[in-house]
Structures are given as structure tokens and as C-alpha cells.
């Protein structure tokens, strides 16, 4: 990390260290930065490290290189990994809004907090956030065949968590909560018609959308899959899986795959 | 007891009928039962004329059911029947196609100019007429540099899209229309060297070879949107709103999502495809800019179109859209068609596209940003005359949806939402879809647009104009007949009889 901070402005040209390409993003416009990343990706670079990132948007947008790994030091701007289909992005810092917007596949790891509208229309891949997430997270996530998106956030979430959700898995761990602090805001799962939400904490009925059911029990097979996901999450953040499994999970599910089927008259 | 009586009456001339059963086979709505003779079930009849068209003996007549309510200019049969239906179901009433209410049609009150004596008209059969249109952002300025004694452009040419004529195919999603209808539009767009918008349902992989004529839509459901599909077209379109249902989302019912639709939309079979009313990542012009540039980043800066419904504040919104970085704004008027919309939004929301085009063009000129992008007008372009008038009001191009469907056989029965289209257009039932031969339909689409092309050239010639560019926003060549003073002022058009200058 330190050596990237040291390189300063001169190193607009990426510096190569064995298999790693290092770019100093200080004062670089997002268009130039993204252009450079795309160029490197197309040349077959497998590891790109970005230093001094400060609000540059659309990092990784539309990238499709499956073996590419990008690590970001600093704070990437909105729409990180939008439309992305394959690569892995790791952020050592906080992220802003709309991370993994309409993402198809790949993995995004955020070591800090992240903003609103994460994973909107996400169709596959994984988004792990170590800290808290904002409003409207996981809106209209959807699954298709083997593709199922997963978002796991370590802290709390704001209102409209999983709104319009059509598929995939949303997990909220509520770690390091203050006493009395709610794990999630209101209007959870409003309009949900697919997928599942797992909360490691309590939720009151009035916090949920009217389309949301609370499962009495999580089936064993499902719990196994959830545990596997959590182990992967813990691996990424060097957490102890035991710490997470000390509290039971609550499963929220949609009452119907067609919540508005009876709304219309023909 | 039946509260709602049929709209139509099916009369079979039993003398002529040779009991072949074709009518019964052809009816997608099951309105003609066949057991040793044809037995009409008029309550199911949509009035789509499929049976009439296929009866070899011309033995079928479909007429309006003459059953009369007591005349009442206030409580129309439409109001009464709607109440019966809602009293029974408690639901939102759905319909298909565009607004059919008797609102003023501005295009029918606009007249075009022609040359007489003092300026010569042009014969388009003898002289070249230019309909080629470039869609997209014009540069702020053009720079040239001297290279080996010759002046050459200094930078790369502006990234505009070239179409051979200013008639595009409007977004009608794969899902709302059948594969064969969708394919026919692709084929016709290629043949005509113009563009088609996909609508929200994505683009089936087998149609990727038509990518050079496709603009892929990104709507709030994000169905079928991924890097591959985004990059296959020549640009993308963000759908904010639709003329037939401004401000509300889409809802493709599970019945219309069989496996092939599910594959393109990338959602499970039989689930409802719900498009939320807003894009949840767009709550402002600044947010819109974010999605525009996210798409540009993901597509290597291909042009982005933003489609909005023509609503009351459309001029300010369009200005914001161009300032947000869009290359095209697509204005869909309140008469625009739909595969399914609630009656209330279809019939009561929005404004006519003629007014929208006029105020958007005017506003952009006043703000000095007309060059930032292209105005595409849609929402009931019924003829070449409508197209010419919209261009004279300020549009760069028009898009046709319903007209294209009609060319493929649609009879405007307004039952698209039922998925029973007898003509194989607005349906996903395989036995109905295969009725529409894509080659046949594409040929008819090409014929229609070629016919319009000739007509447009004819009236341009009559006006003494040899390039469509000279007609754009040329309101001096329009006159209003029977329009009130305020409307004329908003249109920027003089009343008929007013002289030039």
C-alpha cells in the first residue's frame, strides 16, 4: 500500500511489478482511468492495483475478463462494477452508491462501508461489504438458472432492503451494532417476488413489506448453503465464522412469485 | 345473467359457409366454435378480422353489436361497461394499443406549404432528395488543420449514427411482441438501413447479427442487460417513460414468459417480469447522468438515448437530459401504443407529441443547446404526413410502432394484453406465433417505409426543399387550421392564411 502512495503524479504510466500493474489514480479523470484499466485488461493483465482513488466513478464498468483482479486503495465513486461480468474487485476503503449495478458475475469485496442502491438488478456474482450499507440495497436482484446473486453486509442496512427482489440471496449480519440499534430499516422486501433475505437479528412485522413472509425455520439444505457463503465471507475479511454463528438467522421470503397477479381486470 | 354485452356481433352467412372450419382454427380468442357448423361466441370476439380474412367464401361479417344504451353524452357505454367490470373484479382495467379517445389530434390541424410561381418546386423523380439523417451530438465547433497544403478535420468525426431515412422502429419489447414480429423488425431495419429500438426485453442471441441496426434498451427491470448485449448494438436507450403509461412501470405477466422469453430476459419461466415505476438508481438529473455515463463506459462511449413520455414539463426535462450527456431524447406522445397499460394511464396521462416536440425544440434553441442531441418523436405517427409535420415542428426523426404492427397485420383490436393475438404479433403462444412469417412481415415493413419515403420526398419537392435537414424545425412551412391562439403560440406555428415572414 505505502509504495503506491509514494509514487505520486509522475507515475500516470502504469508501473509493473512482476504480475501486478500499479496505477496511481490521484487527480486522474475517471474516463482516463477506466480507459487505462480496459486497455490493460485487454492486454491480459491479471492484477491491477489502483492507488489514491478518490471518487472516480464506473471503475470496472462492463469488464468481462474472468481472471482479472483489481484492488482499489481509497474511495471509488458511484457505479463501481456496474454491468461487470467476471472480474474480482477488492476495495480497501469505503465505497459509494450503486456498487454492482446490474452486475452479471464476478466478485466485489468492500472492506469498509458502502452507500445506497447496491446490487440494483444484479443477476449474478457476489458483493461482500464488511461494514454498513445504505438504503435500497439489493433492489430488484434476480436469479436465472445457475446464476444467483449474493450480497452479504456485515453491519446494518437502511430502508427498502431487498425491495422488488426477484431472486438471489441477501444477508445482513448486524455485527458490531450498538445496543438497541436495529439491524435493518423499514419497508424490507416491499414487492419481493423471488429470492430470500437472511437477517442475523430480529425484525418487527411493521418493518416488513406486505409481500414478505417470515419463515418459521430455515431448511437444513438452505442453512448449509448459507453457511458455505458465510465461510467464504469470513475468509475474505479474516473473520471467525464461529463469531457469526453465535446468533440464529431469520429468513424472509416472498409470499408469492406473482404479487400483482390479481391486480388487473381483463 | 350477463351484465356486459358483447362489443361485436358475428354474422355467418350459412348459405355461403362451406363448413371448412378455417375461421374457428384462426380465431385466437376462441370466439368461433365449430361442431358441424360454426357457432359464434361473440362475447369473446376482439374484432381482429382474422376469421374474415381467412374465410374462403367471404361468409363472415363482424359488426358492432347494435344493442343500444339510452343515448347519454355523459355516461358513455365505455364508462358503464368499465363500471360493470370493476364492480365484478375490483381490478385495474387493462387495455392494449394507444389512446383511442376523441382528443384533438394536432397533426390533423396542421397544413404544409407548397411552392407556387415565386419559388420553384422540385421533382423528386428527377432530382436528388436527401433524407439521410445523422442522430446524435454535434460538436461544439469544428477544427481543421492544414496537412500537406490541404485543410483537413483536426479531430475524429463526431460519433453520430447514420440512418438513410428519418423513420426508425419504436421500442416494442421481445415479450410484448412475438419472436417472429421482432425478427421482422430487425430484418426490415437492416434492409432499410435504419435503426430499431429493442424495448425492455433484451435482444435474443440469434438476432445479434442485426446488431448494427439495434439500440438496446435499459429499463428499470434491467431485463436482458449485460455487457454482451449492451455492446452488440450501436447504442443504448434508457427508458424512463412510455407515452401510453407515463410514470408507471411495466408488467409482463407470467403467462407471457415461456422459456425463450425467459432466456433473453434472464428471469425464471412463468414469473412476472416487473419493471419498477422509476429506475431505483435515478431520482434526479444528476443520477440520470450517472447511468448515462455508466452505459457509455460499459460500451466504449456508444451514444445513449433517453426515452421519456411527453408530459407537462417535458421541455425542462429534455433540457436536463441533454445536459446530463444523452445523445438522443426520444419523446413518446400520449397516443403512443403499448402491449398492456391500465386504461386510466393510457387515456388520461401525458400530452400530444406534436406539442412536446415543439416545446422541446424551442427550449433547446433558446438555451443554445439544440446541437447537444437529437430529438426522436413517436406516439402515433400514422402516416408520412405525420412524420413530415413532426420534423417541421423540430424532430430530427420519428419512430413508428403501431404503424409497423399494422403493416404486419395488426387490426388494432386493442387486445395485446391478453396474449391471444390471432395475427401472431402480440402473443407468445407458439401456435399463434408461427402464423407470422418474418420474411413476409419484413417485406411489408420495407414496403410501407419505402412508400412513406416516396411521399416524404414528394411533399419536400412540393415545398422546394431537397434535404430533410432544411425541413427540421422549419415551422414557417406549417400553418394551423382550427387551432386556438395559445396552442398555435406553443407550437410556434401561424394560423392558415397568414403570409410568410
Amino acid at each position: 500500500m505505502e509504495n503506491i502512495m509514494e509514487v505520486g503524479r509522475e507515475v500516470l504510466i502504469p508501473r509493473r511489478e512482476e504480475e501486478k500493474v500499479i496505477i496511481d489514480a490521484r487527480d486522474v479523470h475517471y474516463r482516463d482511468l477506466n480507459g487505462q484499466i480496459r486497455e490493460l485488461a485487454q492486454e491480459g493483465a491479471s492484477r491491477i492495483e489502483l492507488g489514491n482513488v478518490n471518487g472516480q466513478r464506473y471503475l470496472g464498468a462492463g469488464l468481462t475478463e474472468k481472471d482479472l483482479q483489481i484492488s482499489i486503495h481509497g474511495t471509488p465513486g458511484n457505479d463501481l462494477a456496474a454491468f461487470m461480468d467476471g472480474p474480482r474487485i477488492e476495495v480497501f476503503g469505503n465505497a459509494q452508491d450503486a456498487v454492482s449495478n446490474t452486475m452479471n458475475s464476478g466478485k466485489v469485496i468492500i472492506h469498509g462501508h458502502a452507500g445506497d442502491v447496491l446490487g440494483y438488478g444484479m443477476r449474478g456474482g457476489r458483493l461482500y461489504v464488511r461494514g454498513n450499507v445504505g438504503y435500497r440495497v439489493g433492489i430488484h436482484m434476480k436469479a436465472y438458472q445457475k446464476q444467483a446473486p449474493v450480497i452479504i453486509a456485515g453491519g446494518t442496512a437502511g430502508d427498502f432492503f431487498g425491495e422488488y427482489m426477484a431472486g438471489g440471496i441477501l444477508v445482513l449480519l448486524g455485527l458490531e451494532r450498538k445496543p438497541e440499534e436495529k439491524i435493518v430499516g423499514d419497508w424490507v422486501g416491499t414487492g419481493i417476488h423471488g429470492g430470500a433475505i437472511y437477517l442475523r437479528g430480529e425484525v418487527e412485522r411493521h418493518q416488513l413489506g406486505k409481500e414478505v413472509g417470515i419463515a418459521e425455520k430455515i431448511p437444513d439444505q438452505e442453512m448449509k448453503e448459507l453457511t458455505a457463503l458465510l465461510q467464504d465471507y469470513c475468509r475474505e475479511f479474516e473473520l471467525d465464522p464461529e463469531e457469526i454463528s453465535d446468533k440464529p438467522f431469520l429468513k424472509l421470503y416472498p409470499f408469492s412469485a406473482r404479487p400483482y397477479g390479481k391486480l388487473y381486470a381483463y | 345473467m350477463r351484465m356486459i354485452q358483447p362489443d361485436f356481433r358475428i354474422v355467418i352467412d350459412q348459405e355461403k359457409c362451406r363448413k371448412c372450419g378455417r375461421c374457428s382454427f384462426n380465431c385466437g380468442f376462441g370466439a368461433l366454435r365449430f361442431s358441424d357448423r360454426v357457432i359464434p361466441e361473440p362475447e369473446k370476439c376482439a374484432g381482429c378480422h382474422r376469421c374474415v380474412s381467412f374465410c374462403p367464401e367471404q361468409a363472415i361479417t363482424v359488426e358492432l353489436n347494435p344493442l343500444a344504451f339510452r343515448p347519454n353524452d355523459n355516461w358513455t357505454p365505455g364508462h358503464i361497461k368499465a363500471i360493470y367490470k370493476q364492480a365484478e373484479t375490483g381490478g385495474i382495467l387493462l387495455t392494449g394499443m394507444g389512446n383511442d379517445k376523441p382528443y384533438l389530434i394536432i397533426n390533423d390541424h396542421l397544413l404544409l406549404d407548397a411552392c407556387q410561381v415565386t419559388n420553384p418546386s422540385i421533382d423528386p423523380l428527377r432530382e436528388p432528395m436527401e433524407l439521410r439523417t445523422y442522430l446524435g451530438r454535434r460538436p461544439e465547433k469544428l477544427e481543421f488543420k492544414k496537412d500537406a497544403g490541404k485543410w483537413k478535420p483536426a479531430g475524429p468525426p463526431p460519433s453520430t449514427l447514420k440512418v438513410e431515412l428519418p423513420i426508425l422502429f419504436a421500442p416494442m419489447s421481445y415479450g410484448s411482441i412475438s419472436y417472429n414480429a421482432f425478427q421482422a423488425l430487425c430484418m426490415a431495419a437492416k434492409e432499410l438501413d435504419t435503426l430499431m429500438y429493442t424495448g425492455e426485453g433484451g435482444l435474443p442471441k440469434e438476432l445479434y447479427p442485426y446488431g448494427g441496426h439495434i439500440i438496446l434498451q435499459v429499463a428499470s427491470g434491467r431485463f436482458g442487460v449485460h455487457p454482451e448485449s449492451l455492446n452488440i448494438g450501436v447504442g443504448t436507450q434508457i427508458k424512463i417513460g412510455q407515452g401510453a403509461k407515463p410514470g408507471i412501470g411495466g408488467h409482463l405477466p407470467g403467462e407471457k414468459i415461456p422459456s425463450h422469453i425467459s432466456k433473453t430476459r434472464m428471469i425464471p419461466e412463468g414469473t412476472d417480469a416487473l419493471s419498477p415505476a422509476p429506475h431505483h438508481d435515478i431520482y434526479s438529473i444528476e443520477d440520470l447522468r450517472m447511468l448515462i455515463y455508466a452505459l457509455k463506459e460499459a460500451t466504449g462511449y456508444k451514444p445513449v438515448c433517453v426515452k421519456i413520455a411527453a408530459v407537462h414539463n417535458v421541455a425542462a426535462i429534455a433540457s436536463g437530459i441533454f445536459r446530463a450527456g444523452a445523445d438522443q431524447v426520444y419523446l413518446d406522445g400520449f397516443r403512443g401504443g403499448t402491449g398492456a397499460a391500465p386504461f386510466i394511464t393510457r387515456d388520461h396521462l401525458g400530452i400530444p407529441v406534436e406539442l412536446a416536440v415543439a416545446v422541446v425544440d424551442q427550449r433547446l434553441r433558446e438555451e443554445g443547446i439544440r446541437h447537444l442531441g437529437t430529438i426522436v418523436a413517436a406516439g402515433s405517427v400514422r402516416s408520412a404526413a405525420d412524420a413530415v409535420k413532426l420534423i417541421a415542428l423540430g424532430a430530427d426523426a420519428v419512430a413508428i410502432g403501431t404503424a409497423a404492427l399494422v403493416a404486419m397485420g395488426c387490426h388494432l383490436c386493442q387486445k395485446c394484453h391478453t396474449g391471444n393475438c390471432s395475427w401472431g404479433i402480440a402473443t407468445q403462444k407458439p401456435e399463434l406465433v408461427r402464423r407470422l412469417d418474418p420474411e413476409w412481415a419484413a417485406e411489408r415493413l420495407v414496403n410501407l417505409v419505402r412508400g412513406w419515403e416516396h411521399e416524404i420526398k414528394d411533399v419536400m419537392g412540393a415545398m422546394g426543399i431537397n434535404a430533410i435537414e432544411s425541413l427540421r424545425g422549419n415551422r414557417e412551412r406549417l400553418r394551423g387550421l382550427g387551432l386556438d391562439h395559445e396552442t398555435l403560440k406553443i407550437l410556434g406555428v401561424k394560423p392558415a392564411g397568414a403570409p410568410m415572414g
Side-chain angles (χ1 to χ4, degrees), chain A residues 83 101 120 136 140 142 258 265, chain B residues 92 220-221 272 274 280-281:
Chain A
F83 310 109
N101 193 348
Y120 174 22
R136 291 180 267 142
H140 215 298
K142 44 178 96 67
R258 306 190 53 190
Chain B
I92 295 170
S220 61
D272 286 4
L274 301 176
H280 280 288
D281 51 357

Side-chain angles (χ1 to χ4, degrees), chain B residues 393-415:
Chain B
L393 282 171
D396 294 275
V398 300
I400 57 169
T402 304
L405 299 185
V406 173
M408 290 193 271
C410 166
H411 280 57
L412 278 129
C413 75
Q414 307 194 11
K415 295 285 179 199

Side-chain angles (χ1 to χ4, degrees), chain A residues 82-235:
Chain A
F83 310 109
M84 193 173 82
D85 194 7
R88 172 193 163 96
I89 295 183
E90 191 163 4
V91 178
F92 299 93
N94 297 325
Q96 299 190 341
D97 296 343
V99 178
S100 299
N101 193 348
T102 324
M103 188 167 107
N104 214 38
S105 71
K107 200 168 190 180
V108 179
I109 315 287
I110 315 275
H111 285 267
H113 304 296
D116 299 339
V117 209
L118 309 178
Y120 174 22
M122 188 174 164
R123 195 183 296 114
R126 292 181 187 179
L127 167 60
Y128 295 165
V129 181
R130 176 64 185 85
N132 300 333
V133 294
Y135 296 91
R136 291 180 267 142
V137 168
I139 285 198
H140 215 298
M141 282 198 345
K142 44 178 96 67
Y144 177 64
Q145 293 178 348
K146 282 182 187 163
Q147 268 179 286
V150 177
I151 299 181
I152 305 178
T156 59
D159 295 345
F160 297 103
F161 190 64
E163 191 187 17
Y164 265 115
M165 191 171 171
I169 290 171
L170 273 175
V171 186
L172 205 50
L173 300 179
L175 299 168
E176 295 132 20
R177 254 186 304 161
K178 294 183 203 99
E180 304 296 305
E181 193 184 357
K182 282 183 178 166
I183 189 165
V184 67
D186 292 333
W187 309 100
V188 178
T190 307
I192 188 172
H193 52 289
I197 300 175
Y198 301 97
L199 303 176
R200 189 175 152 279
E202 294 299 310
V203 71
E204 286 173 53
R205 181 68 237 180
H206 71 83
Q207 287 174 269
L208 308 180
K210 64 180 189 302
E211 300 84 357
V212 183
I214 304 177
E216 281 178 14
K217 176 176 181 303
I218 302 174
D220 290 347
Q221 181 56 31
E222 236 179 279
M223 200 58 222
K224 226 186 247 172
E225 285 164 21
L226 179 60
T227 310
L229 284 173
L230 291 171
Q231 275 167 354
D232 188 46
Y233 178 87
C234 288
R235 230 180 350 261

